[in-house]
Amino acid sequence: EPIEPPRVSRKEVQFLDKAQTAILLKAAEDRALYPILVLAVTTGMRRGELLGLRWSDVNLDAKNKKGKPAPYLKVAQSLEQTKDGGLQPKEPKSKSGRRRIDLLLTAAKVLRHHKAKQNEMYMKLGVRPKNTCDLVFTTIDGKPRSPRCLTKEFSRFIAGLDIPPISLHGLRHTHITHLLADGVPINVV
């Protein structure tokens, strides 16, 4: 007698609407999590891409052909947590994973402020730039942030808000949903 394979149940894609996204970002404003969430919501970057982002891959001073601000970042690596708990940069999975992302001016402003606060913290702690990594998002002593710890921190944070529970990866879906709602063509998204 033939055996039927088990059915894979698909989970519904989680995302926040614009009002819920505003609540999330407002609640995070005074936290170290804030710039990470701003980039996640405005760029759709994956967790490892956010944590693997280097300052050398960010251009906050770029201008377009008309001389107007046109900040951007390049996704050139991802930060992976190994089985033994170590952190290791890795290449994006595919050629399309290596990409340039234009930044909203508000996101660039948040990154500028984050960089100033990060440098101030390093000075207060006596951490020399050569002893830190070039990563945008680090621990207070300039070391890479753990992807697992970021996920746990986000889960604890969002549990205290009056919005639907969503995973950190759900912010990627939130970004895409907002683009589609704003009429961005699907091929561009």
Side-chain angles (χ1 to χ4, degrees):
E1 185 173 327
I3 298 173
E4 281 194 40
R7 288 215 157 83
V8 178
S9 62
R10 292 187 180 259
K11 287 186 178 180
E12 195 168 311
V13 175
Q14 300 173 316
F15 65 90
L16 301 176
D17 64 25
K18 289 188 178 188
Q20 294 162 338
T21 303
I23 291 168
L24 172 78
L25 294 177
K26 182 70 177 157
E29 259 180 351
D30 297 327
R31 295 174 170 260
L33 203 52
Y34 181 65
I36 295 172
L37 297 183
V38 167
L39 272 194
V41 167
T42 61
T43 66
M45 292 171 70
R46 295 172 179 90
R47 176 184 72 172
E49 293 170 343
L50 289 163
L51 295 181
L53 183 65
R54 298 171 294 207
W55 284 114
S56 57
D57 295 325
V58 177
N59 188 336
L60 298 174
D61 299 317
K63 305 258 188 254
N64 65 16
K65 291 177 183 171
K66 295 180 181 178
K68 300 223 186 242
Y72 67 90
L73 60 82
K74 294 180 286 183
V75 176
Q77 70 175 15
S78 181
L79 191 66
E80 175 181 70
Q81 194 145 14
T82 60
K83 287 183 177 140
D84 65 2
L87 301 174
Q88 179 176 324
K90 68 175 190 168
E91 293 281 317
K93 288 182 182 177
S94 66
K95 193 172 184 175
S96 63
R98 291 182 80 82
R99 63 200 186 279
R100 176 187 155 138
I101 299 175
D102 293 328
L103 292 172
L104 295 177
L105 295 180
T106 53
K109 182 179 177 184
V110 167
L111 280 180
R112 234 183 258 289
H113 180 72
H114 170 67
K115 187 171 190 173
K117 282 181 73 173
Q118 189 179 54
N119 288 337
E120 183 182 314
M121 181 65 70
Y122 290 165
M123 284 180 60
K124 280 182 182 176
L125 293 173
V127 177
R128 303 209 186 305
K130 69 178 192 279
N131 295 340
T132 65
C133 54
D134 182 39
L135 296 176
V136 173
F137 302 115
T138 63
T139 60
I140 58 171
D141 59 351
K143 302 219 175 358
R145 286 188 71 153
S146 155
R148 286 185 202 134
C149 289
L150 175 61
T151 296
K152 287 178 186 170
E153 181 183 353
F154 178 73
S155 295
R156 281 191 305 270
F157 170 69
I158 199 161
L161 301 180
D162 189 23
I163 58 177
I166 188 172
S167 66
L168 189 59
H169 187 76
L171 297 180
R172 183 170 164 79
H173 297 292
T174 295
H175 169 70
I176 292 167
T177 304
H178 290 188
L179 290 177
L180 293 172
D182 290 343
V184 177
I186 190 79
N187 62 324
V188 174
V189 173

